[in-house]
Amino acid sequence: MTPPPDPSEHAGTEPRSEKTYDRPHIPAQRSTEPDTSAGPSGPTGTDQPPGPADRPPPADTGTPSPAEADAPRRSIRLEAPGTGVRDTWRAMGPGIAAAMTGIGASHIMHGPTAGAQYGYVLLWVIPFAYLLKYCAFEFAHRYTLVRGESIMEAYERTGKGRGNWPLWYLGFQSLANTFGIAGRALGAAAMLWAAFPFLPLTAWAVLVLLSSVAVLWAGKYKALELAVKIAIIVFAACVLLAFVLQSPPPGEYLTRLAPTLPPVGALLLFGAMWGYFPTTVEVAPMQSNWAVDKKSGMVRVRELEREGYRVDLAPNYLRNHLKLFKRDMNISYVISMITGMAFLIVGAVVLNPRGIVPESSEMGLTIASIYTETFGVWIFPVIIAGGVAALWSTVFTYFDGQARIFEEVCVRLHRAWDTPGIRAFIYRGFQILWVVAGTAIIFGLPEPILVVQIASFLALLFSPVLYWLNIKAIKDNFTSEDAPFLPSRFMFAWAWTGVAGLLGISCYILYLEYLQPLFG
């Protein structure tokens, strides 16, 4: 899914409190009305996204004083983005890159494992997981574009007077996700060990954790970003080409797209696939925070209004932003889904007949063998580099995104902590905690596939509540002015189906895996 705009912006500087903001560069789009008392001709600064996941204060900042009310306000006009073919293509670039960086543990580890163990039996899970979760991500991003604030503002309002339970829930989920970061690090380590076995798997995994934090703190992500994206795109292209070359007749796997019960012994993997395809639902609030950083849609408008500007919006300003966002999301979503299915199908074709399943430290070698048999040994370094880039970038993204969420949770629960110094301490302290706890899991349970499956199943259990919070955010916080941008009744029904589906799957697995043996 969508990667952070640039985590190095956050890591290189101390986070700001909610009372200070980056002042964006405003192009020459201002009102032609003369304003001799306005002082400077407009805001100064940069279009670069801000560092931390700033929490904008609510749009209603109180009644202005008489002096403020009488003071002349500078005007700025914001033009609507175009929606033609060229504009769509420019908007698609980040979306395609996002789809490629979404290829992580779900695709590289769960896909081939499911194909190797059970052939095409679990193939149907992938498209259905994408369908059920679609509105969770769409609603979170829509909320930020329309309301101009992080969806965590809505979570906080939901918990007001109720013990702030959504914030506690998010904080606990962030800590529980330590299994996820350890599993992803072990996956990247298994790919590294396949090429460089002079260090043990556990050592490589710890180095993956440390390197992610080091790059964040040093603010050097931009230096690696292009290389990482190229490696992932080449890797994904190899996967799709291998699918074309190895794919059996479509009738063999298309008939498996009808839902069926999971095979005996496949419950954990079954739940893991629902948890991690297309990604975990907690990425939705991460995306919302990143959209705030990018000043998407109404975020920029709200910021300028807080700075004292009168903002004149061109017709269709917000509608065009939403249209481009939906195109971007839909295209990247489909690309990611097709790639995930290709991973499973190629694993079923190459590994399943031979009875080989990716596991332990041999996971990287097993997955690489799928492609060396298809293209030859020359493809080995390409597959290893792409696999490492995909899994490492996922580790990196979660180190940034989850630390931002935990930071926001802490400063919202205890307002006195909302200072730049304490924010920086929480952000980096959480990452240190993850390194320590992740290292303990890595040495205590050095099985990449198993650890990721446990983490994925935990993600599934957390997902229904997070999904429901996103629906409630839209229903409770959109005003009459926002009504034209409400999701349709069909989309609300789709979203509620997603919540019910994920909840039902969670209960089904919990019953068969834990309750039935206990009471049977």
Side-chain angles (χ1 to χ4, degrees):
M1 299 303 293
T2 308
D6 181 6
S8 64
E9 298 286 342
H10 182 84
T13 60
E14 279 196 340
R16 297 180 303 281
S17 71
E18 63 178 51
K19 296 181 181 179
T20 60
Y21 304 91
D22 286 347
R23 297 171 65 84
H25 169 72
I26 305 298
Q29 301 169 341
R30 306 195 182 94
S31 167
T32 55
E33 298 174 6
D35 187 3
T36 58
S37 61
S41 59
T44 60
T46 173
D47 271 330
Q48 293 300 317
D54 290 333
R55 179 171 61 83
D60 181 9
T61 56
T63 303
S65 66
E68 290 174 328
D70 293 337
R73 300 179 69 195
R74 290 168 287 181
S75 296
I76 292 177
R77 178 175 174 83
L78 297 181
E79 298 295 341
T83 57
V85 175
R86 296 182 66 180
D87 301 297
T88 302
W89 175 252
R90 283 195 294 268
M92 281 171 52
I96 293 175
M100 296 302 101
T101 54
I103 300 172
S106 55
H107 294 58
I108 297 173
M109 301 171 77
H110 292 336
T113 301
Q117 284 188 290
Y118 305 106
Y120 308 120
V121 175
L122 296 177
L123 179 64
W124 70 272
V125 173
I126 298 176
F128 274 81
Y130 275 77
L131 284 171
L132 285 185
K133 291 184 179 180
Y134 178 87
C135 292
F137 306 111
E138 203 274 358
F139 279 23
H141 208 127
R142 179 191 293 259
Y143 179 91
T144 299
L145 285 177
V146 175
R147 295 297 301 150
E149 63 187 16
S150 168
I151 199 169
M152 291 188 69
E153 296 281 354
Y155 294 172
E156 186 175 7
R157 294 186 195 111
T158 298
K160 203 166 189 179
R162 302 180 181 91
N164 290 319
W165 70 264
L167 298 180
W168 288 105
Y169 190 83
L170 274 175
F172 178 74
Q173 172 270 322
S174 297
L175 295 173
N177 210 12
T178 304
F179 271 95
I181 210 69
R184 294 178 181 96
L186 280 166
M191 302 297 287
L192 284 165
W193 185 86
F196 309 105
F198 56 81
L199 285 178
L201 176 72
T202 51
W204 278 121
V206 174
L207 285 175
V208 169
L209 295 178
L210 292 174
S211 65
S212 298
V213 175
V215 171
L216 271 171
W217 288 15
K220 298 297 184 184
Y221 180 67
K222 282 187 176 180
L224 298 174
E225 187 176 22
L226 180 60
V228 168
K229 286 182 178 179
I230 289 174
I232 294 172
I233 290 171
V234 172
F235 179 45
C238 291
V239 171
L240 294 174
L241 183 56
F243 166 72
V244 171
L245 296 177
Q246 294 277 7
S247 177
E252 285 191 26
Y253 55 85
L254 291 180
T255 56
R256 299 290 188 167
L257 294 180
T260 58
L261 294 177
V264 176
L267 273 179
L268 184 58
L269 177 59
F270 179 71
M273 292 176 69
W274 286 106
Y276 264 27
F277 279 105
T279 186
T280 57
V281 174
E282 68 258 18
V283 169
M286 291 187 205
Q287 285 182 304
S288 178
N289 286 338
W290 292 328
V292 171
D293 289 351
K294 290 181 177 180
K295 308 187 194 308
S296 301
M298 293 300 292
V299 175
R300 190 179 188 191
V301 176
R302 300 293 181 231
E303 182 180 67
L304 291 171
E305 288 175 344
R306 286 192 298 270
E307 292 180 353
Y309 291 95
R310 183 175 65 250
V311 182
D312 177 24
L313 294 181
N316 289 332
Y317 170 83
L318 185 53
R319 192 172 298 278
N320 286 7
H321 271 286
L322 281 168
K323 188 177 293 186
L324 290 175
F325 148 66
K326 288 293 290 286
R327 289 178 187 173
D328 191 26
M329 177 175 175
N330 292 342
I331 292 170
S332 63
Y333 215 68
V334 170
I335 291 173
S336 179
M337 182 181 69
I338 291 172
T339 307
M341 295 173 70
F343 268 102
L344 188 149
I345 292 170
V346 174
V349 170
V350 177
L351 299 180
N352 183 261
R354 297 160 55 190
I356 299 175
V357 177
E359 58 186 354
S360 301
S361 59
E362 302 293 329
M363 184 207 85
L365 286 171
T366 302
I367 291 174
S369 70
I370 298 174
Y371 305 98
T372 55
E373 289 192 11
T374 304
F375 300 106
V377 294
W378 66 268
I379 202 70
F380 181 80
V382 175
I383 296 302
I384 294 298
V388 170
L391 288 163
W392 181 85
S393 65
T394 306
V395 173
F396 176 89
T397 299
Y398 269 78
F399 257 109
D400 177 70
Q402 282 283 198
R404 291 174 185 238
I405 287 180
F406 192 77
E407 172 194 321
E408 285 298 307
V409 165
C410 290
V411 299
R412 290 167 189 272
L413 288 173
H414 196 71
R415 295 290 184 179
W417 291 352
D418 196 0
T419 66
I422 294 179
R423 277 181 171 267
F425 176 81
I426 296 171
Y427 177 82
R428 294 190 172 186
F430 179 84
Q431 292 168 343
I432 292 172
L433 175 64
W434 254 17
V435 169
V436 174
T439 299
I441 294 172
I442 286 166
F443 279 94
L445 194 61
E447 297 286 339
I449 299 295
L450 177 60
V451 174
V452 169
Q453 287 182 4
I454 293 171
S456 304
F457 181 58
L458 288 174
L460 170 63
L461 297 181
F462 280 109
S463 61
V465 174
L466 295 175
Y467 207 148
W468 175 80
L469 284 170
N470 290 351
I471 298 174
K472 187 170 177 59
I474 295 280
K475 289 179 69 68
D476 291 356
N477 293 278
F478 273 38
T479 66
S480 57
E481 292 182 358
D482 303 324
F485 307 106
L486 271 170
S488 65
R489 290 185 178 180
F490 172 77
M491 285 204 70
F492 273 119
W494 183 355
W496 284 116
T497 302
V499 174
L502 294 175
L503 180 61
I505 293 164
S506 300
C507 293
Y508 170 76
I509 296 172
L510 285 172
Y511 173 75
L512 290 182
E513 190 75 7
Y514 300 105
L515 298 181
Q516 190 181 53
L518 187 63
F519 298 105

